[in-house]
């Protein structure tokens, strides 16, 4: 072993807390690793130390990560550190990859053969559809994606079909449970598993076969778990089953970065670790190697408002750096324009575009930024998602509109003819194509002709007849109706909206939000033709992933990443924290939303810009073409310590159209009037009091509303009050509709 005066060489680059975390090898250990504190280095060095100090052989270490990328990175680092370059750590991998390895070895214990096949998501859905058909269960009332979601939820809770109890009145769960039971039987018959089964079958084996469980407990002398705050119930149970009597389990995580409850993660796993393992040693990694002091202090001031946390204070040896900018814009378009101005005129001179990122709470928020960047020629990429106008639901909607505008658009016809499902499958489409070639007609006219003959099956014929009738009707309506209302009619009458609502999945909700955002974007154009022409230009721009590009992504997708400059737009009540989350889970959701904001802030290394719009175009008012709604700055902005902020008001009249006048070409970077306004305002920065109180009410006061009942004021902006009502959840209300409750 290579040694220095202070110990093995691999310890030389560690700070005191990191070194302590590596050298404390016996008993349960909780490493609370703050953002950017070098947790991967600690984990890999700890594995290296266990091997080099001969505490165990490399095959006696179980090291669990959450992604294959993280596992590969750790494996490479360990190989570079271990003298003699042993066969790395064979039991280093994700929960699923390690479970796969265990299950291959003991497949017979759960009635499988070691050669079992792992089904992907599409195979799962296909199997569920087949079962629904065989059992004569209505597929529309029992969407396969919803059933797949419920099955996955049950498996994450370690529940087999025999262990689930349902209410007699909950018909959807009763049917889903029936499908789950048959689904598991079919999987076993086919010698197949899904991803949830990999862990569930291992837990079943550990639970029912003591000798197998004990053999793993003896073999794994040391267990290490990365991102422990993201573990779910069954993963924690899986770990508990194979943790040996010595309790040499080391978990690394950050309760302040637990942001995945929507996919089953339980923050209580890390919060309760010390309770579950007596004599736990806790080491806090608080030195940050990523961000400036102003950014870190801003993050700390925000997250300190959460109640359920273990507590730590991240700090840095770096300089104070620039203050965090809080920018107020008139509306979403102004926000996108102002952001591009800052990038073009200031940041692009100092940083690579690859090191500039815009992080949004929900994917539909990328639309206004994408449109702005396309118009002024700023290259960008969408990470962890698809560009707005390339998303399936957007392309479907656009194809409906294209076909209404022009019946000979065969590509559009081909895309929507069976979307939603209309019993017009590939065989029918192939027949339409053949007749089209022979008659030299477009697909729409060919379909009309086929309705007069007997070439199509009766059910298919009826469906095609209805589609043709609808398309003709929508074409007539397009001459009378506003193009935005036309889109609403098409989505409703085609059954597209209902298809997504019935799906009842998080993905379907996101797709519905995207369609609402499309509706908002259409209001920027005077008619359907103008809209379609502009969209065609936007989607025709050459796509290349590599090269200098600004990064657009959701905050969830940014977890684990870091960038020199970060923009965080849309910090408004209802947007962030997200209204739906609050309505469903109340204060628990607010705390997770705050953790998400903390993650967003701590992605930034040098520059951080947080912004909100004073007005948004919302998609809820069907009959109002100018549905501007005033918005309130997020409560999270009020929670940031003002010492570390530079507050700018860059607001304009939302109806002043300055944005597109200079965007005539892509060959040169144009000057933006938005930038001129910004620079003028920058010279005379105006302080904004985000809780400007123009009422007689105060935060924390109890009030009554005729419709929503009793509640407490949690946020004030002018005469707009955010109230947490006991029975109705959080609502935004004008003060004149409230009365104070005395002596409550």
């Amino acid at each position: 072993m290579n040694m220095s005066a202070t110990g093995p060489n691999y310890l030389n680059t560690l700070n005191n807390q990191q070194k302590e975390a590596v050298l404390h090898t016996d008993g349960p250990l909780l490493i609370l690793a703050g953002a950017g504190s070098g947790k991967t280095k600690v984990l890999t060095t700890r594995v290296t130390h266990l091997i080099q100090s001969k505490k165990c052989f490399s095959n006696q270490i179980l090291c669990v990560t959450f992604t294959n990328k993280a596992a590969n990175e750790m494996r490479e680092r360990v190989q570079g550190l271990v003298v003699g370059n042993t066969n790395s750590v064979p039991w280093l991998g994700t929960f699923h990859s390690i479970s796969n390895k265990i299950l291959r070895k003991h497949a017979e214990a759960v009635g499988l053969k070691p050669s079992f096949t792992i089904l992907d998501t599409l195979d799962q859905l296909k199997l569920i559809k087949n079962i629904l058909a065989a059992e004569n269960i209505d597929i529309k009332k029992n969407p396969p994606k919803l059933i797949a979601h419920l099955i996955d939820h049950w498996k994450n809770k370690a529940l087999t079909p025999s262990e689930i109890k349902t209410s007699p009145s909950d018909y959807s769960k009763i049917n889903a449970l029936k499908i789950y039971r048959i689904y598991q039987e079919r999987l076993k018959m086919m010698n197949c598993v899904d991803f949830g089964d990999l862990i569930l079958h291992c837990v079943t084996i550990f639970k029912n076969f003591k000798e197998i469980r004990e053999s793993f407990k003896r073999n794994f002398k040391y267990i290490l778990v990365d991102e422990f705050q993201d573990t779910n119930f069954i993963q924690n149970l899986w770990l508990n089953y194979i943790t040996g009597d010595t309790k040499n389990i080391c978990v690394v995580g950050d309760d302040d970065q637990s942001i995945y409850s929507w996919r089953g993660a339980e923050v209580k796993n890390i919060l309760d670790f010390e309770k579950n393992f007596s004599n736990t040693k806790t080491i806090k990694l608080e030195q940050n190697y990523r961000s400036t002091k102003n950014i870190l202090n801003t993050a700390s001031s925000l997250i300190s408002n959460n109640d359920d946390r273990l507590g730590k204070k991240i700090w840095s040896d770096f300089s104070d750096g620039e203050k965090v900018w809080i920018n107020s814009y008139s509306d979403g378009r102004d926000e996108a324009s102002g952001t591009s101005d800052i990038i073009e005129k200031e940041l692009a001179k100092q940083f690579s575009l690859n090191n500039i990122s815009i992080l949004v709470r929900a994917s539909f928020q990328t639309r206004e930024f994408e449109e702005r960047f396309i118009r002024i020629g700023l290259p960008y990429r969408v990470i962890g998602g698809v560009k707005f106008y390339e998303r399936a639901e957007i392309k479907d909607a656009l194809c409906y509109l294209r076909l209404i505008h022009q019946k000979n658009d065969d590509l559009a016809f081909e895309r929507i003819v069976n979307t939603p499902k209309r019993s017009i499958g590939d065989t029918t489409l192939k027949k339409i194509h053949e007749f089209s070639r022979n008659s030299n007609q477009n697909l729409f006219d060919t379909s009309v002709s086929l309705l007069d003959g007997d070439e199509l099956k009766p059910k298919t014929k009826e469906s095609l007849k209805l589609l043709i009738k609808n398309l003709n009707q929508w074409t007539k309506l397009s001459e009378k109706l506003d193009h935005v209302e036309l889109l609403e009619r098409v989505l409703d009458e085609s059954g597209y909206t209902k298809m997504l609502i019935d799906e009842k999945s998080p993905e379907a909700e996101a797709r519905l939000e995207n369609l609402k955002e499309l509706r908002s974007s259409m209001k920027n154009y005077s008619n359907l033709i103008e809209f379609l022409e502009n969209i065609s230009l936007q989607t025709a721009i050459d796509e290349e992933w590599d090269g200098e590009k600004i990064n657009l992504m959701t905050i969830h997708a940014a977890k684990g990443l870091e960038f020199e400059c970060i923009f965080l737009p849309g910090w408004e009540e209802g947007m962030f924290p997200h209204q739906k989350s609050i309505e469903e889970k109340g204060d628990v959701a607010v705390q997770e939303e705050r953790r998400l904001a903390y993650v967003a802030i701590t992605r930034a290394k040098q520059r951080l810009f947080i912004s909100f719009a004073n007005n948004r175009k919302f998609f809820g008012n069907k009959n109002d073409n100018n549905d501007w709604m005033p918005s309130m700055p997020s409560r999270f902005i009020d929670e940031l310590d003002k010492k570390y902020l530079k507050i700018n008001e860059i607001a304009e009249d939302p109806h002043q159209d300055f944005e597109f006048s200079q965007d005539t070409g892509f060959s040169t970077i144009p000057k933006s009037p938005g930038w001129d306004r910004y620079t003028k305002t920058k010279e005379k920065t105006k302080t904004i009091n985000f809780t400007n109180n123009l009422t007689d009410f105060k935060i924390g006061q109890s009030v009554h509303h005729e419709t929503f009942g009793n509640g407490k004021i949690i946020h004030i902006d002018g005469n707009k009050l955010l109230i947490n009502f006991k029975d109705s959840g959080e609502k935004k209300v004008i003060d004149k509709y409230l009365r104070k409750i005395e002596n409550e």
Side-chain angles (χ1 to χ4, degrees), residues 546-564:
D546 297 326
E548 291 277 308
K549 291 185 187 338
I550 298 163
N551 306 291
L552 274 171
M553 69 192 86
T554 64
I555 301 170
H556 283 101
K559 177 86 189 309
L561 303 178
E562 59 182 42
F563 300 92
E564 299 292 336

Side-chain angles (χ1 to χ4, degrees), residues 494-511:
S494 66
Y496 200 97
T497 302
K498 186 176 185 301
M499 173 187 75
L500 293 178
I501 291 172
D502 288 346
E503 195 176 298
K504 296 176 184 174
S505 70
E507 294 81 11
E509 286 177 15
R511 293 174 72 187

Side-chain angles (χ1 to χ4, degrees), residues 268-431:
K268 71 176 184 178
N269 288 346
I270 192 168
L271 295 176
D272 293 344
F273 185 80
E274 292 171 303
K275 295 178 191 173
N276 296 333
F277 290 91
S278 57
N279 302 317
T280 292
K281 169 81 172 176
T282 300
I283 298 172
K284 297 180 181 181
L285 304 182
E286 296 174 305
Q287 183 173 1
N288 176 282
Y289 294 94
R290 175 186 298 157
S291 309
T292 64
K293 288 178 180 175
N294 280 329
I295 291 171
L296 292 182
N297 288 330
T298 299
S300 293
S301 66
L302 174 70
I303 200 63
S304 65
N305 289 277
N306 266 9
D307 298 324
D308 300 329
R309 60 190 297 261
L310 296 169
K312 65 188 163 309
K313 173 76 173 176
I314 51 176
W315 60 275
S316 172
D317 274 338
F318 295 154
S319 66
D320 290 345
E322 293 268 358
K323 287 192 172 184
V324 173
W325 283 24
I326 307 292
N327 292 333
S328 164
Y329 295 100
S330 63
D331 57 62
R333 285 189 298 168
D334 197 20
E335 185 177 45
S337 180
T339 298
S340 67
D341 288 343
I342 296 171
I343 293 170
E344 281 188 298
K345 303 295 184 178
E346 184 176 347
L347 300 182
K349 295 175 181 177
Q350 305 172 52
F351 305 102
S352 159
L353 292 183
N354 292 331
N355 251 313
I356 300 172
S357 289
I358 299 171
L359 312 184
V360 296
R361 172 61 183 85
S363 61
F364 74 84
Q365 290 173 263
T366 67
R367 194 266 307 171
E368 281 182 304
F369 292 95
E370 291 188 56
E371 289 190 354
R372 176 65 183 169
F373 294 158
I374 288 169
R375 288 180 183 281
I376 65 173
L378 261 179
Y380 73 94
R381 64 173 69 85
V382 176
I383 293 178
V386 180
K387 290 189 175 184
F388 185 81
Y389 288 106
E390 293 175 6
R391 294 168 191 170
E393 62 277 9
I394 303 301
K395 292 181 89 168
D396 291 341
L398 291 176
C399 281
Y400 270 108
L401 295 176
R402 279 166 49 187
L403 199 57
I404 289 166
H405 172 58
Q406 191 169 247
K407 292 295 192 298
N408 59 359
D409 190 336
D410 283 354
L411 292 176
F413 181 90
E414 204 168 345
R415 184 176 182 94
I416 62 91
V417 68
N418 200 36
T419 307
K421 299 289 185 190
R422 299 187 177 92
S423 303
I424 305 173
D426 292 340
T427 304
T428 303
L429 193 55
K430 187 178 178 183
K431 191 172 290 185

Side-chain angles (χ1 to χ4, degrees), residues 28 30 213 252 284 368 596 670:
L30 170 61
R213 181 177 72 245
V252 183
K284 297 180 181 181
E368 281 182 304
L596 188 59

Side-chain angles (χ1 to χ4, degrees), residues 638 691 693 697-702 712-716 722:
D638 272 332
T691 53
N693 193 343
F697 293 96
K698 295 177 182 177
I699 291 175
Q701 198 168 43
S702 296
K712 280 196 175 179
I713 301 170
I714 57 176
H715 191 62
I716 298 174
L722 190 67

